[in-house]
Amino acid sequence: MTSAATVVRVCSIEELGIGQMRKFTVAGKPVLLVRSGDGRYHALRSICSHQGVDLSRGSVTGRITSSGVGEYRYTADFEIVRCGRHGYQFDVTTGRCLLDPKARVKIYRVHVEGNDVLVEVDA
Amino acid sequence: MTVESRVDKTNVSRSEIGAQVIDCDVHELVLSPKELAPYMQEPWREWSLRWLGPSPIRYVHPLGASTGTNVALRKESETPRLSGADLSLMQEEILDRYGMAHAVLTSSFFPGAMKVQAEFATAAASAYNDWVIENWLERDPRLLGSICVAPQQPEQAAREIDRVGGHPQMVQVMLPIIDSGYGHPSYHPIFAAAVRNDVAVAMHQTGDTAGPNGLPPYYAQWHAEIPLAGMAQVYSLVFNGVFAKFQELRVIVLETGFTWLPHLLLHADQKYKYLGIETPWLHELPSNTLKGRLRVGTQPIEEMTAADFNRFIELMGSEDMLVFCTDYPHWDSDEPLRALPSGLRPELRKKIFYENARAFYRLP
């Protein structure tokens, strides 16, 4: 935890299932809490860096990859948040946009203490 | 008979153009399909004698230019020589006149645009290749060639590329811009063969090339819509993963102008960013792919100032994508001395007139 950070409890661990997301306001910032396929929690700024759409109106999804033209492979890792407007996809572990190398959203540290999920944001 | 020479005997010095020249779109003409008969085997040889030829222009040309061929007569007593059908005239009118390092022959012969009798189209394409090698390429080392294929039969087209792709002056496969997107997997053998033989793939309009609404009522509208057909083929290659599958593939689009290119680069990137989950075989922004592997001919260039031209270059984000083309001998061919606006940076002129094509075609 950094000295200038604010840590806020946002929910209990039972309140968010695998593949779900929920928006909170933490120290005045819109924060999207996401639970990925491996059970971990991730927090990111809930504003799409493309045109400012609220990411909580989108979806948590898996990763689509391909080994060749016409082939699709879906991995249900639920590590992707997809904007509900233009489809920008962000990796919740890094905040990076999958298809636009210039786009990314800020991610926040998440702490799990007992049954509580806490999000750490800069002051 | 009116005798009027269109041949200016005064050669142009390199300093006037500001660069060496590689002309990437020069049409040598098959005046009659019968010319190809000696290069065909039966049963196709007999057919070729009765053939009217592939893909004629559908319109009466408003200016009277049939296929754009100019008649050049210097003396009334001379036998008419047709630009594009006469090597010595081509040498006078462009190769020698502009001191061209190379001219890429692109023909106006596109059996690949035929919608019927695919086997005959394949035979005609093969005959053309032998004809152009014997009558053009082997008579002037400055000439570079385009391998004619009939994409209606992709496997046979690939075999034809293998047959003549090793000729040292063959630099590309010519695909006519048709109403079928070349991104379809059925065409993969053609791109595989091009890569295997280290030749590029060119795309060029034919008399059958149609706009998004088919053949429009007026020639001017048809001519205006041709770039749309070229753009559609580029999109087809991008989104169907042809560039992704064939990492060494190089593509050039000819005779569509180039001012659409900044739009396409931006537009393709936007669709990739929004909808890339549908095409997961694409692993980078289309503009990145295209800047490295797509080249576009300048002709027919719209009139513009140097400042406007530079804006297009800036919007493209690359000085490497444009190659100079005259489109000799067609009615709307561009004049090397005057087509590009004056005032362009010398380095940019050198790239467009020479360096970009030299690099693209991997010339010494």
Side-chain angles (χ1 to χ4, degrees):
Chain A
M1 190 184 310
T2 60
S3 59
T6 298
V7 180
V8 175
R9 178 191 182 278
V10 292
C11 64
S12 68
I13 56 174
E14 295 88 4
E15 288 181 73
L16 204 62
I18 298 289
Q20 292 182 332
M21 64 178 173
R22 188 168 160 191
K23 183 182 173 186
F24 300 94
T25 300
V26 180
K29 302 177 191 298
V31 173
L32 189 66
L33 187 69
V34 178
R35 194 168 185 194
S36 57
D38 58 5
R40 290 186 298 158
Y41 297 86
H42 310 270
L44 55 154
R45 189 167 189 259
S46 190
I47 303 294
C48 181
S49 61
H50 175 225
Q51 289 190 9
V53 172
D54 185 350
L55 289 174
S56 72
R57 298 171 69 179
S59 57
V60 181
T61 182
R63 204 178 295 265
I64 301 172
T65 58
S66 174
S67 58
V69 176
E71 295 179 6
Y72 296 84
R73 185 184 307 133
Y74 182 77
T75 305
D77 57 6
F78 297 112
E79 291 188 350
I80 307 298
V81 167
R82 185 186 303 152
C83 180
R85 182 76 63 84
H86 299 112
Y88 269 49
Q89 301 173 89
F90 297 95
D91 184 327
V92 298
T93 67
T94 64
R96 294 182 184 279
C97 180
L98 298 191
L99 300 176
D100 183 349
K102 292 181 179 176
R104 64 186 307 168
V105 294
K106 184 174 179 59
I107 59 172
Y108 303 102
R109 295 182 70 179
V110 177
H111 306 276
V112 175
E113 296 181 359
N115 283 335
D116 296 327
V117 180
L118 300 87
V119 173
E120 176 182 338
V121 300
D122 298 333
Chain B
M1 180 184 293
T2 302
V3 179
E4 181 181 353
S5 173
R6 296 194 60 163
V7 181
D8 183 344
K9 295 293 287 182
T10 306
N11 286 351
V12 174
S13 70
R14 186 177 301 171
S15 61
E16 289 179 82
I17 300 175
Q20 281 189 281
V21 177
I22 298 175
D23 185 345
C24 294
D25 189 19
V26 171
H27 295 281
E28 91 290 4
L29 304 177
V30 179
L31 286 181
S32 164
K34 293 179 178 60
E35 289 184 52
L36 302 182
Y39 302 91
M40 301 183 87
Q41 303 294 320
E42 298 293 3
W44 311 125
R45 184 174 181 277
E46 183 192 356
W47 286 38
S48 71
L49 296 173
R50 301 193 294 269
W51 190 32
L52 298 178
S55 65
I57 297 281
R58 304 292 179 177
Y59 298 86
V60 176
H61 196 287
L63 301 178
S66 55
T67 57
T69 305
N70 302 318
V71 177
L73 293 176
R74 286 179 294 173
K75 297 177 184 175
E76 195 167 359
S77 59
E78 281 190 345
T79 302
R81 296 192 298 166
L82 301 180
S83 298
D86 184 314
L87 174 60
S88 63
L89 191 56
M90 180 187 288
Q91 290 165 335
E92 287 177 25
E93 291 186 320
I94 58 169
L95 286 162
D96 295 340
R97 174 168 163 74
Y98 300 106
M100 288 182 176
H102 293 288
V104 184
L105 299 180
T106 49
S107 86
S108 290
F109 182 76
F110 299 110
M114 292 171 62
K115 296 180 189 292
V116 296
Q117 298 175 319
E119 298 84 357
F120 179 66
T122 291
S126 183
Y128 164 84
N129 292 327
D130 290 334
W131 173 86
V132 78
I133 288 171
E134 181 176 325
N135 294 282
W136 292 85
L137 300 185
E138 294 188 348
R139 292 174 61 194
D140 192 323
R142 293 170 294 183
L143 298 176
L144 303 173
S146 303
I147 302 168
C148 184
V149 296
Q152 304 93 315
Q153 295 192 303
E155 293 291 351
Q156 289 85 339
R159 284 201 288 274
E160 180 64 13
I161 296 166
D162 287 336
R163 187 180 76 86
V164 295
H167 190 285
Q169 287 162 271
M170 285 293 193
V171 293
Q172 63 191 7
V173 177
M174 177 58 74
L175 294 181
I177 295 177
I178 54 178
D179 55 8
S180 173
Y182 284 118
H184 192 278
S186 63
Y187 294 114
H188 284 184
I190 295 174
F191 298 110
V195 170
R196 185 163 64 239
N197 288 277
D198 194 24
V199 291
V201 171
M203 295 191 187
H204 194 290
Q205 69 180 83
T206 78
D208 278 328
T209 298
N213 300 320
L215 283 178
Y218 299 106
Y219 180 90
Q221 183 184 352
W222 175 72
H223 213 252
E225 291 183 0
I226 286 170
L228 301 176
M231 292 171 70
Q233 290 292 356
V234 175
Y235 284 132
S236 181
L237 297 185
V238 168
F239 289 107
N240 287 275
V242 173
F243 283 110
K245 180 170 182 175
F246 302 101
Q247 288 287 317
E248 299 300 317
L249 178 66
R250 297 167 279 138
V251 174
I252 183 167
V253 179
L254 298 168
E255 208 172 322
T256 60
F258 70 91
T259 49
W260 50 268
L261 189 51
H263 163 75
L264 182 140
L265 295 172
L266 284 169
H267 205 56
D269 279 358
Q270 185 204 43
K271 300 312 166 197
Y272 171 79
K273 291 172 187 175
Y274 286 14
L275 301 165
I277 59 170
E278 189 187 17
T279 53
W281 43 87
L282 303 183
H283 298 299
E284 64 173 357
L285 290 171
S287 64
N288 287 349
T289 303
L290 296 174
K291 284 174 187 174
R293 295 157 63 191
L294 175 71
R295 299 294 177 261
V296 176
T298 52
Q299 188 275 342
I301 189 169
E302 294 91 348
E303 290 180 31
M304 66 181 83
T305 65
D308 287 340
F309 191 96
N310 287 330
R311 286 190 191 97
F312 278 105
I313 295 291
E314 186 178 357
L315 286 170
M316 284 177 216
S318 171
E319 295 184 352
D320 302 333
M321 299 189 75
L322 301 186
V323 296
F324 180 75
C325 299
T326 59
D327 186 34
Y328 171 92
H330 289 167
W331 68 275
D332 58 341
S333 60
D334 277 338
E335 160 62 45
L337 277 173
R338 299 292 292 275
L340 268 61
S342 60
L344 295 180
R345 287 182 294 105
E347 297 77 14
L348 181 58
R349 288 182 71 86
K350 286 176 183 172
K351 281 191 167 187
I352 294 170
F353 274 108
Y354 182 75
E355 285 295 341
N356 290 346
R358 187 196 60 75
F360 179 74
Y361 288 120
R362 298 179 175 169
L363 302 173

